[in-house]
Amino acid sequence: MTMSHSIEIQHLSVGYDEGRFKALLDISLTVPDGTACAVIGPSGCGKSTLLRVIAGLQKPTKGTVLIGGERVNPKKQKIGFVPQNYGLLPWRTVEENILLGCRIRREVEEDTMERMQLMMGQLGIRGLGDRYPKELSGGQQQRVSLARSFLLRTDVLLMDEPFSALDAITREDMQEVFLELWQKHAVTTMLVTHYVEEALYLGQKIVLMSSYPGRIYKILDNPLFGSSEKRRQPEFFAMGQTIRDLIKEMGKSA
Amino acid sequence: MKYSIFLSYLAGAAAIFVLWWILSAMVALPMIPSPVAVFVKLVDIFAKSIAVHAGFSLWRIAAGLFAAILVGFPLGMVMGYFPKADRYLAPLVYLTYPVPKIALLPIFMLMAGVGETSKIIMIFLIIVFQVVIAVRDGIHAIPEETYFPLYSLGASFRQVFQEVLWPASLPKFITAVRVAMATAISVLFFTETFGTQYGMGYFIMDAWLRVNYLEMYAGIVCLSFIGLLLFGIIDLVEHFACRWMQKG
Ligand SMILES: Nc1ncnc2c1ncn2[C@@H]1O[C@H](COP(=O)(O)OP(=O)(O)OP(=O)(O)O)[C@@H](O)[C@H]1O
Ligand SMILES: [Mg+2]
């Protein structure tokens, strides 16, 4: 059974304080199956809110979210959600944390352990299986969180500023590690970021959001996605500048 | 590591022993016998009489503690996880928590008799409030994002309990039991001074009335060993159940 797992957002609005505060207003967006979409926008524009609604963690005031053509239902679809702080459970070891998703979905199969070992090897965290998260560096915690997300083959993957807490060098490493894994699994992904370069490197689509109320300002198709060679090329910087200009322009018009 | 913990306990016991010994030598009254004599007495009468009393005291503490956990843990869990429940139950807890339990003892003795039940109820009441508040606060302290990766996969309540609520509340819960335990032991002592012929409280007061200071002190030493035993068990449970809390 192969199913498409696109994310379709239709006229989505979200309010707080019983609707007095509009966090998101009339968001419509389609992320096709197997596409990585980066969401970028100023602080407070509702990026985290958007991810929470897509994950079915929060009810929208208006509009719908469809995953694979069906309304979001965490029991039906497999939605991988990675919160800003990696979402590791401090009281579980690395291995238990990686297996969490499979455990919740009762999908610990014969080859699961083997696959986990393989993935831990690829991520360079083999041998850390018995440690607790606080005994790991930020980068290692991030790797554990990635292993968890990709071990359970989720239908969609939602990540809230996955690399923001890392230092610049580790962040670039992790982006590459993520991309490598992502290209193997090609899961429909939405990731929120504050960094233009990150959006350019990891987003096939880039969604620019403006704030108060949070809306979609522009959706760009990004030809520079996933090419580490182009990452140091002038066209990468030029595109980055274009996006920065758009963000500035957006700030003025608001 | 474990060896050094053992050594530190031994050093503590030795220090108390020495201080006591100096004091008894200085005072030189039967009121403060030498610790050596007391320990000889303790060894002598332990199997004959103290063991039964210690057994009764331990049973009362165990029963009260068990009941307090049975009621307090789920109640704290419900109050911590469901804000609505907290809104309705918190005032009740706050109003009843500060009531001095020992003041209610005569009422319990009237209602439940002077026997076992009223003693166990006292222990229960002392421990249960601390457990409720600790478990509730432990759950309140869980950052909201902790639940998200579970909710987004449609985790059942049982799974959320197993993966998050239980382990997150465990350290605070154990600390609460530890804090309440000291109070529980001293209140137990008090309740055992009447309405029973068994228990460390009875034994110590009885020896005192008979002006048998050696037996009285043997009882006190035994009581502090009971305390040590209980605290040791709590530490051990914490050591194995909360591995992630350990330093280093
Ligand atoms: N639980 C809440 N109650 C009330 N208002 C909220 C709540 N959560 C978020 N908001 C408001 O909604 C808006 C969007 O918040 P959100 O966290 O989604 O922004 P964000 O784009 O993720 O910001 P950042 O980049 O700083 O993480 C903000 O103005 C915020 O104050
Ligand atoms: Mg955010």
Side-chain angles (χ1 to χ4, degrees), chain A residues 56-197:
Chain A
L57 301 169
Q58 193 176 333
K59 289 254 171 311
T61 326
K62 263 196 216 132
T64 47
V65 177
L66 305 178
I67 291 179
E70 281 185 70
R71 278 181 182 252
V72 203
N73 178 350
K75 293 251 181 233
K76 273 200 189 145
Q77 296 114 353
K78 267 192 265 177
I79 305 167
F81 188 95
V82 184
Q84 223 159 324
N85 55 7
Y86 317 128
L88 301 181
L89 300 175
W91 39 81
R92 295 278 184 251
T93 63
V94 164
E95 275 192 14
E96 290 167 340
N97 262 296
I98 295 176
L99 287 168
L100 179 77
C102 297
R103 225 164 37 237
I104 299 286
R105 299 301 288 224
R106 302 180 200 293
E107 287 184 22
V108 183
E109 284 144 13
E110 282 159 40
D111 67 332
T112 305
M113 298 311 250
E114 219 171 287
R115 280 178 48 232
M116 176 174 73
Q117 288 304 329
L118 206 72
M119 198 167 281
M120 286 173 76
Q122 286 167 357
L123 284 164
I125 49 172
R126 180 171 283 156
L128 302 182
D130 292 330
R131 291 215 199 162
Y132 288 100
K134 70 163 189 187
E135 298 164 343
L136 303 178
S137 71
Q140 288 169 330
Q141 291 183 19
Q142 174 63 71
R143 285 163 201 259
V144 173
S145 153
L146 286 180
R148 176 200 280 175
S149 305
F150 285 106
L151 187 65
L152 176 75
R153 301 176 175 106
T154 52
D155 300 337
V156 299
L157 182 56
L158 307 171
M159 307 171 93
D160 198 348
E161 302 191 30
F163 311 113
S164 291
L166 305 172
D167 63 88
I169 295 166
T170 316
R171 193 187 315 136
E172 284 203 5
D173 285 347
M174 287 312 302
Q175 289 166 354
E176 266 164 48
V177 168
F178 167 76
L179 198 69
E180 213 173 291
L181 273 175
W182 188 86
Q183 275 160 340
K184 271 185 209 136
H185 295 79
V187 45
T188 315
T189 300
M190 276 186 80
L191 74 100
V192 164
T193 175
H194 268 144
Y195 299 98
V196 172
E197 279 72 25

Side-chain angles (χ1 to χ4, degrees), chain A residues 16-17 21 23 41-50 52 84 160-161 194 212:
Chain A
Y16 285 111
D17 296 328
F21 177 79
S43 185
C45 71
K47 304 180 293 295
S48 300
T49 304
L50 180 62
R52 283 200 295 272
Q84 223 159 324
D160 198 348
E161 302 191 30
H194 268 144
Y212 305 112

